[in-house]
Amino acid sequence: MAVISLRDISINFTGTVLLNGVSMQIEPGERVCLLGRNGEGKSTLLSIIDGSLAPDTGSVDYAKGAKIAMLPQEIPQDLEGSVYDVAAQGLGKVGEHLSAYHDAVRALSTVQDNQAELVARMERSQHVLEEAGGWPHHQTIETVLSHLKLDGDEAFGSLSGGTKRRALLARALVTHPDLLILDEPTNHLDVESIEWLEDFLLRQNTALLFVTHDRAFLQKIATRIVELDRGRLFNWECNYTTYLERKEADLEAEAKQNHNFDKKLAEEETWIRQGIKARRTRNMGRVRDLRKMREERRQRRERTGQVKMVIQEADRTGKMVVEAQNICFGYSDTMLISDFSTTIMRGDKIGLIGPNGIGKTTLLNILLGEADPQSGTIRHGVNLQINYFDQLREQLDETKSARHNVADGNDFVEINGHRRHVMSHLKNFLFTPDRATVPVSVLSGGERNRLLLARLFTRPSNVLVMDEPTNDLDAETLDLLEELLMDYPGTLLLVSHDRAFLNNVVTSTIAFEGNGHVAEYVGGYDDWVRQRPDTTPEPVKACKPKPEKKPAKPASKKLSFKEKYELEKKREQLNTLPKLIESLEEELEQLQTKMSAPDYFKHSGDEMAADQRRLEEVETELETAYETWEELEAALEGVDLD
């Protein structure tokens, strides 16, 4: 018997039909992934199944005595107590006594007064738990909290949004329900926790319905895929890879069918306007068919357009972007980074891998010059223009609209030299005029991430830093973002726990392997898994503090006339380089534009060969100019000719 059955469910929000007579069953032990683009109504459907939202029409039938647990996308505002208390809530009376026992044990270790009362309370809860067989639940709670990296004694209200979501995930996992509903369970989890969650779910004999953007998680967990598309549900009895192939074929067939229908409708509309012949009695059947076709076309729901993303590119950096030598950083007895060296070159795409809180953001800040290492040196290349994607979305003003956040109150933005209206730019990121003018605080997680991308890509960059950009994005937007980043000519530093995204985008990885050890590997996440050490490296000693700089001693002798002359020549050369680089870049752009023109093949062979030679010469001269700039800046650093 099915755990849950949906029959003809419909719901309409503000004129938009999210669910249009959908039906579905979930059998015991099934693991069903619900797919759909952002805004299609996935979270709404989960809320209807959970019972927290009533549909306009239709019915939801549960198996007798079925128990349902859900991880919602939004965090409830009325939860209080410790993390342990929240995790135990789903266990009913047993959970209440587990919380009471846990709180009494914690209080006994910290409070000197009322010890007898605390002991009595602990013994009462212990007695109830022994009779009810509740101790295995306590062990499950402790295990889940440990693997989700949660402190059971922390106050739930003091946690960040991401940590609260992990606590709610723990509450859903410990209940052993007949149907477990998870809305984006991998958000805010590191790879280690995601892999544990995968193994945990595979060991459970529980029906599972989940929404996820993590394609590796989907591929490993799902036994069936259900897609929500334009208010209807489609069932796919296959894995994710096969689904993508079949879905593409279905969309092509649908487009062809719609094209033929529209062509036939246009012919009939032309016929009806021919006049008296169309109104003859013997043609009334054709007129009635035309009316049906008009209604069918009116009822058709078109697919929402795809996101259109373009990165605004800045002038090129030098060949070397960042060079780190033997950098070290830690807090008291905790080492985050020990003796790490790397050289990041222009065009590198580097992924940063490691558990939450291990130091990935700290390393980014050190590499970008936002923080100083405790020892070691950092050297930056020239002409760096850095854009930063913040996983906490702190760059967004939640009291203002999407439109204001992107254009800072202006009506136009400039992208790659072209002036565009801000509403047109937001439309490319699937924002309707209504959604573009509401405060950011009411936008969904997926909309906020798209807004941050829309804002990010209005600013020119040649170094792009992205900290968890994949959270809440649907699969199609993820694919487009992947393609964009793979084609990005600048340098990319990417922090992500999305294994498929890392595999597809990065060319090398910097991995935090514990105890301060940080190492660099060629390839993506799977390549790191094959190459990583079998055991956690031994702890390393604390960083040696940087030696204090002693005041420079007066020079024993002044610079000679020849030394001054040579340094002055270098300074003059450095001052002329920006104009030279600008002129070379303009010539390079002109050549590339000329050679990519559709009618370029009409030019003579000699002219085309000359253009190709000059293109190669300009690229070489430009590279040499950047290298010379870096050398001259290093040579003149700290030199005073006065």
Side-chain angles (χ1 to χ4, degrees), residues 248-268:
E248 184 176 0
D250 272 18
L251 288 176
E252 290 177 359
E254 180 186 348
K256 185 176 181 179
Q257 181 180 350
N258 287 343
H259 173 75
N260 293 336
F261 179 91
D262 292 343
K263 183 179 179 181
K264 174 66 174 174
L265 178 59
E267 291 172 352
E268 294 301 287

Side-chain angles (χ1 to χ4, degrees), residues 12 44 48 116 118 125 141 164 237 241 262 284 348 352 358 382 390 392 427 434 446 451 483 494 501 559 603 613:
N12 183 323
T44 300
I48 290 173
L118 290 171
S125 296
I141 292 173
K164 285 181 178 178
E237 297 281 355
T241 304
D262 292 343
M284 286 308 295
D348 284 351
L352 278 72
I358 202 168
V382 297
D390 173 25
L392 301 177
K427 184 179 179 182
D434 289 342
L451 175 59
E483 293 176 12
L494 172 69
F501 195 78
L559 294 175
H603 293 254
R613 284 195 301 272

Side-chain angles (χ1 to χ4, degrees), residues 188-204:
H188 310 289
L189 295 185
D190 55 37
V191 174
E192 183 181 343
S193 298
I194 292 172
E195 290 178 337
W196 171 82
L197 178 60
E198 289 173 345
D199 293 338
F200 181 89
L201 294 174
L202 290 173
R203 290 196 306 269
Q204 307 302 304

Side-chain angles (χ1 to χ4, degrees), residues 82 84-85 96-126 129 135 153:
S82 67
Y84 188 99
D85 296 337
E96 291 177 12
H97 286 286
L98 282 171
S99 291
Y101 179 84
H102 179 267
D103 292 343
V105 170
R106 182 180 57 178
L108 278 170
S109 63
T110 58
V111 178
Q112 299 302 318
D113 299 331
N114 301 322
Q115 291 273 321
E117 181 182 340
L118 290 171
V119 170
R121 189 192 311 169
M122 183 180 69
E123 289 177 347
R124 284 196 301 270
S125 296
Q126 185 175 1
L129 289 171
W135 290 117
D153 294 337

